Amino acid sequence: MKNRAIQIGLFFLLLSGGCLSAQTESESVTIPLSNPGKDGKLKMGLLYGSITVEAHQGKEVIIETKSKEKSKPSKTKDGMRRIGDTSLEFSVEEYDNKVTVRSKKQNKRVDFTIKVPENFSLDLRATNNGNINVEGVKGEMEISNLNGAITLKNIGGSVIADALNKDIIVTFTKGYEKSPMAFTSLNGDLDITFPNNLAANIKAKTDQGEIYTDYEMKMTRDVSKDEKKSSSGVYKVTVDKWVTGTINGGGAEILFKTMNGDIMIRSN
């Protein structure tokens, strides 16, 4: 059957006469794919915690979770003592090689490590108290992290990545496709490494940092002017400066933008 929905829940009870001890709970599940060996996609959004995705040689998706319960005094209510927690409750749905993971616990940190076949696309989003790490995956990626860093190692395919408050570090290997890409951050550095034979049009801007590259880049400068006149007669001109250039004759556009950080465009 191509349509599979798998609901995973872990409930554990801790009975203590005084306090709940600090301990790490974990769970691992294996998700079979409808079409093993063919391209797939992983989609996940996480409110609290880190997401790590690793390529493996298997033809299934393996999901591992960890949640650490901190030591705290035992809570009571109407003479009853709190005895349990459901931090690792999550759900997984697989349909036609598309795997969607949802964490049902919205107020506690749960870290996910997910192993996927190499030829997988990724749509990953994290919000608080965690980073996003990907290694060895060759597919299209949309990665967003509000308060954590993004690190993508030995990847291929196209990438759109944004991190509001942390760095974005990416290393491409073989499998890079000539598709438009974008890397953006508000308060972090962009450190992106491409293969030596990269052919692309580069568009980059940083307000409070510097732009560096070790490629032989033919540089140009793109200045965009926005001219407006208000009803009160005030005339306003806004000049938006970008550094632009071509590498190895040019190709698809790759955009880099950060406000408070440096931009490093490296060759591998």
Side-chain angles (χ1 to χ4, degrees), residues 5 7 10 21 37 43 45 52-53 71 99 105-106 114 119-120 131-132 141 143 150 153 175 200 233-234 258 268:
Q7 301 291 329
L10 179 65
S21 299
K43 182 176 182 180
T52 298
V53 180
S71 297
V99 179
K105 205 67 175 180
Q106 300 298 316
I114 304 175
N119 54 330
F120 246 62
N131 300 320
I132 295 179
M141 302 184 194
I143 313 291
I150 295 174
K153 295 181 178 179
V234 176
T258 182
N268 186 6

Side-chain angles (χ1 to χ4, degrees), residues 71-122:
S71 297
K72 59 181 70 175
S74 179
K75 292 184 178 180
T76 61
K77 183 175 182 180
D78 297 331
M80 297 181 293
R81 184 170 59 253
R82 186 178 79 109
I83 61 172
D85 182 50
T86 58
S87 297
L88 293 185
E89 188 179 5
F90 65 95
S91 68
V92 184
E93 181 177 316
E94 190 278 344
Y95 177 76
D96 197 22
N97 279 26
K98 297 179 178 65
V99 179
T100 302
V101 182
R102 297 182 179 90
S103 176
K104 294 187 175 182
K105 205 67 175 180
Q106 300 298 316
N107 60 350
K108 291 189 178 181
R109 174 169 176 160
V110 181
D111 296 329
F112 283 78
T113 297
I114 304 175
K115 296 180 180 179
V116 301
E118 183 182 75
N119 54 330
F120 246 62
S121 295
L122 305 176

Side-chain angles (χ1 to χ4, degrees), residues 205 207 222-229 234-242 257:
K205 180 182 179 181
D207 294 331
D222 184 16
V223 179
S224 175
K225 293 183 179 180
D226 183 17
E227 302 182 13
K228 294 181 180 180
K229 187 175 182 179
V234 176
Y235 187 74
K236 181 179 181 181
V237 178
T238 301
V239 178
D240 192 16
K241 293 184 178 181
W242 289 75
K257 185 177 181 180

Side-chain angles (χ1 to χ4, degrees), residues 209-214 217 262-266:
E210 303 293 340
I211 301 172
Y212 304 92
T213 185
D214 56 3
M217 187 182 300
D262 293 331
I263 297 174
M264 284 77 71
I265 305 170
R266 305 179 189 267

Side-chain angles (χ1 to χ4, degrees), residues 171-191:
T171 303
F172 287 90
T173 58
K174 64 178 182 179
Y176 163 73
E177 298 175 358
K178 295 181 180 179
S179 303
M181 296 191 286
F183 305 90
T184 60
S185 180
L186 181 65
N187 297 309
D189 293 337
L190 306 179
D191 191 338

